Structure formats: structure tokens, C-alpha cells
Amino acid sequence: MKTEVFPVDPHRPDPETISRAAAIVRAGGLVAFPTETVYGLGANGLDATAARRLFVAKGRPTDNPFILHVASLEEVWSLVDSSCLDSSCPRSLVSKLAQRFWPGPLTLVLPRAAHVPPEVAAGLSTVGIRMPAHPVALAFIRAAGVPLAGPSANASGRPSPTTAAHVLADLDGRIEAVLDAGPTGVGVESTVLDVGRTPPVILRPGGVTREMLAAVLGKVVEAPPHRGKGPADEGPALSPGTKYRHYAPSAPLLLARELPPRGMEMLLQEGGRWEARGFRVGALLAEEEGGDVPPTWVVRTVGRRADLAEVAAGLFAGMRELEDKGVDVILALPYPEEGLGRAIMNRLRKAASGEIPGGGEEGAGSGGVTRGGEKGGGEFGGTSS
Ligand code: TXA
Ligand code: MG
């Protein structure tokens, strides 16, 4: 299939282009579209066949559910089981969160109405719903006239796409079209919040931070990180997506254990070991550290450490750019785990195939990695999906 590219103004999308994209989705097709977080892969969220196509196009495990994208709060009430809603999760709470954070990067996990196909929710009794804050996404949902199932528009296991070029790099020939509105803003995906539990549980940290949620909810807790190796050897995860390795570039990514300046020393030592073996070293760094590495390394800065929003916006694009430059390994530094730093560290840990050990320890990073090979197992390992 030929994937069509529809260029569109990010602020004032041309209605004719939007209605072409909407017609494709209504006919059961797949159209990638920009949101404020990352590009999504849109399909009719009430059509089980279209949902099955999403799994195939992305190569996604079928136990990982999709988020439904809506353009108004009213649509939410038609997608949730209202009897459960009244008993286990008050409407007032949903309205309050929607009023404060929508449109925006917050997904609410709610009891699923019977007419939402089980395929969309991967068989769960709940459904994730969000209203994205991108004029193109909102216009597209309204024109389609149905909620859009919208996983990130990458091949499963790859870094999420923040440009249409990233979408095409993974899915060209596998989807009908992409609405190209330039780069997205937030850069990491939405926060997934289970509001059916008391207190509500953050299943995936994202663009709306824990601190922002706590200001509205009082108490909010975070689901413990999933430490298993893959789907076969473990019980159900609260959020199925959390159990897979994710976001991984094709070169192994190694994450230093400590913040700079100590982490920078570790990173320089580790890079030296890789270079000594003839490997091409890439570094994914904040601007503050970008000038401190040897000139032989390929450096991609992702924004200022002092402004984590910049780092989030550049993170996935940085991973893809370094792999495109043909580096053999990508070395990265951690960020403080507060505010957006939680989402950034969640994505970096899932992308990493190992960590850069502290002083004196023999390279857990470089040891055991062969050219083009990927180190598996360990704390960071897991089934690539
Ligand atoms: O920002 C975003 O959320 C982007 C844009 C395109 O909207 N979408 C996105 O979708 O990241 P996806 O499919 O790549 O990730 C959805 C995450 C997965 O971890 C999935 O397991 C979780 O949300 N999820 C979806 N529905 C759920 C449910 N009913 N219960 C628990 N987790 C759910
Ligand atoms: Mg995704």
C-alpha cells in the first residue's frame, strides 16, 4: 500500500484535508495524526476490525490496549459503563480532571461500555480515554465522528514518533496516510491515570506530572515499575503496556547510574572503553553537558537540563537521530525524578538495554555487547515488542 502524506497547518488545518483523512478512517483505514505529545495512529475506535489492523501495522502484542481520543467531555459518558462509573468512580472526579487537564496529555482509565469493542481494550473491562490538545487532532476526531483509537504511531518497541518522518520511517507502506503538521510539542506520551481506584493510580508517568495531579486530587500514587522480563513469565500488569521493553533505538542505549557530574565521569569512561574496541560512540545529552565529550563522539543534545520540558521534547527524536547516524552505542545521563523528570526517566529506562556502572566496576555496559548486538536481560532487559 502507498502511504499518502497530507501536509497540514498545525494551527489552522485545512477542512478539506481533514475530511479526506476522516473518510479513510470511517472506511476502516489507518491515518497517523499529530497530538501535543507524539504522533498517534488513528483508527475508528468502535470498529473491532480496524483495531485488529492497528495491532498488525504496529506489530503490537494483542494484550496491550489502545487509548480512545475524543473531542469533548460529553463523548466520554457514552464510552464508559455508567453503572460502574457511579459506584466505583464518581463522575464529579472525571469532570474535575477533564476541566483542569483537557484538552491535554492525561488519559483516564474508566469502566468500559459494552459497545466499545474488547479488541480496543485488549479484553480489559476498562478503557483509556483522552482529549488531545492539538488543533489537527481535535479537527480530525470531530470530522471522523467517532472516537479514534490512537496508539503512538511507531512500530512496537521503537521510540515514539514526534515528526511525520519518524512515522514513515516505521510504518511507510503499512498505513493509508499521515497528517503532517510538523514536530509535536510535549515529546513524551500522556500520563495514564486509573481513576477507578482510591486513591487514583498513575499507570504511566507523562506530560501531566504527579505534582499537578496531586494539586487537584490530594492523594495520588504511582504504580510500581514493572520488573518482569516479558509477557510469558508474569501475572497481569495494572497497565499492560508497562511490562514490555519500549522506545528502544536500534543501537543499545546505556544509562549512567548517577546524575552529573559523577555520572558524566562514568559516561566518559564507558565511552572510552567502547572507542578502544573500535566502536562508534553516540551520546544523548543535555546542552549543559554536550560540550564535555571527545570530538570523535557523535553528540545529540536534547535541550537544557534546567528545563526538563525541552529535554522531553527532544528525547525520542534524539534517539532516532543517533541511530540514523550509525552509532554502535548510545550513552545517556539520568535526570532528577521530579516533575517531567519522572516521565523522562521512565522512557530512558525502558529504552535502555543496560546501565553504566559506577567507578571500579567492570563494564556492565560494554561487556558482552558485540557489534550491532544488543545486550539483553538484567534489570533493564525485557521482551522487545
Ligand atoms: O500521548 C499519548 O498517550 C499517545 C498519543 C498518540 O495520544 N498515545 C499513546 O498510546 O502513547 P500507546 O498505545 O502507545 O500507549 C498507551 C498506554 C499503554 O501503556 C497501554 O497499556 C495503556 O496506555 N492503556 C491503555 N488503555 C488502558 C487501560 N484500559 N488500562 C490500563 N492501561 C491502559
Ligand atoms: Mg506507544
Side-chain angles (χ1 to χ4, degrees):
M1 149 193 344
K2 182 169 166 12
T3 300
E4 286 190 88
V5 178
F6 300 150
V8 62
D9 184 310
H11 308 293
R12 262 188 274 153
D14 165 43
E16 223 164 274
T17 309
I18 294 294
S19 61
R20 274 177 78 190
I24 294 173
V25 154
R26 272 200 307 272
L30 309 182
V31 179
F33 64 104
T35 79
E36 81 281 26
T37 59
V38 301
Y39 273 74
L41 183 55
N44 180 346
L46 299 179
D47 175 355
T49 310
R52 282 194 288 270
R53 278 201 61 203
L54 280 179
F55 285 113
V56 174
K58 281 181 57 80
R60 173 154 163 145
T62 49
D63 64 351
N64 196 3
F66 301 121
I67 294 168
L68 289 182
H69 295 69
V70 298
S72 71
L73 178 59
E74 287 65 52
E75 287 167 74
V76 172
W77 308 127
S78 71
L79 300 171
V80 301
D81 177 344
S82 53
S83 60
C84 284
L85 190 61
D86 289 328
S87 57
S88 65
C89 167
R91 278 166 205 266
S92 58
L93 183 65
V94 177
S95 303
K96 195 158 124 183
L97 287 166
Q99 263 159 27
R100 172 68 184 79
F101 297 110
W102 281 3
L106 177 66
T107 295
L108 301 176
V109 171
L110 296 162
R112 173 171 63 91
H115 73 281
V116 175
E119 284 81 355
V120 167
L124 297 178
S125 61
T126 54
V127 59
I129 306 177
R130 89 173 186 102
M131 192 199 301
H134 195 297
V136 174
L138 291 171
F140 182 33
I141 299 163
R142 285 194 191 107
V146 287
L148 294 182
S152 51
N154 51 283
S156 188
R158 301 263 306 130
S160 293
T162 56
T163 66
H166 297 160
V167 175
L168 292 170
D170 284 12
L171 301 177
D172 196 9
R174 303 174 72 86
I175 62 176
E176 274 76 6
V178 52
L179 284 162
D180 180 357
T184 61
V186 179
V188 291
E189 304 85 342
S190 63
T191 303
V192 178
L193 184 73
D194 186 345
V195 271
R197 289 166 200 269
T198 314
V201 180
I202 297 173
L203 301 177
R204 175 178 73 178
V208 170
T209 65
R210 178 183 173 163
E211 292 82 352
M212 290 158 77
L213 288 170
V216 174
L217 295 170
K219 195 159 184 214
V220 56
V221 296
E222 254 166 296
H226 199 89
R227 295 258 175 231
K229 290 200 169 192
D233 56 359
E234 60 204 32
L238 279 181
S239 183
T242 59
K243 72 186 178 191
Y244 295 103
R245 179 141 177 258
H246 265 308
Y247 316 120
S250 53
L253 187 147
L254 303 178
L255 182 60
R257 257 184 217 168
E258 289 180 39
L259 293 166
R262 178 77 192 105
M264 193 64 192
E265 286 169 32
M266 298 171 177
L267 184 138
L268 288 169
Q269 279 171 13
E270 181 67 20
R273 285 195 282 266
W274 282 79
E275 269 206 318
R277 294 177 195 191
F279 291 111
R280 198 149 178 249
V281 178
L284 187 68
L285 298 172
E287 264 158 41
E288 288 90 332
E289 297 115 26
D292 298 343
V293 300
T296 45
W297 293 17
V298 183
V299 180
R300 168 60 151 86
T301 55
V302 291
R304 287 169 302 144
R305 180 172 283 277
D307 183 353
L308 292 178
E310 288 184 10
V311 175
L315 196 67
F316 288 131
M319 289 180 198
R320 283 180 180 263
E321 201 176 299
L322 284 171
E323 79 177 16
D324 286 347
K325 288 191 170 152
V327 300
D328 296 306
V329 65
I330 298 174
L331 305 179
L333 287 175
Y335 295 85
E337 294 198 56
E338 53 202 45
L340 257 186
R342 282 201 186 82
I344 292 169
M345 285 304 291
N346 171 276
R347 307 310 188 268
L348 274 173
R349 287 208 177 94
K350 286 204 169 146
S353 51
E355 56 177 23
I356 302 172
E361 290 171 57
E362 192 30 48
S366 55
V369 178
T370 52
R371 185 178 281 277
E374 189 179 288
K375 195 178 154 60
E379 188 184 349
F380 287 81
T383 305
S384 197
S385 57

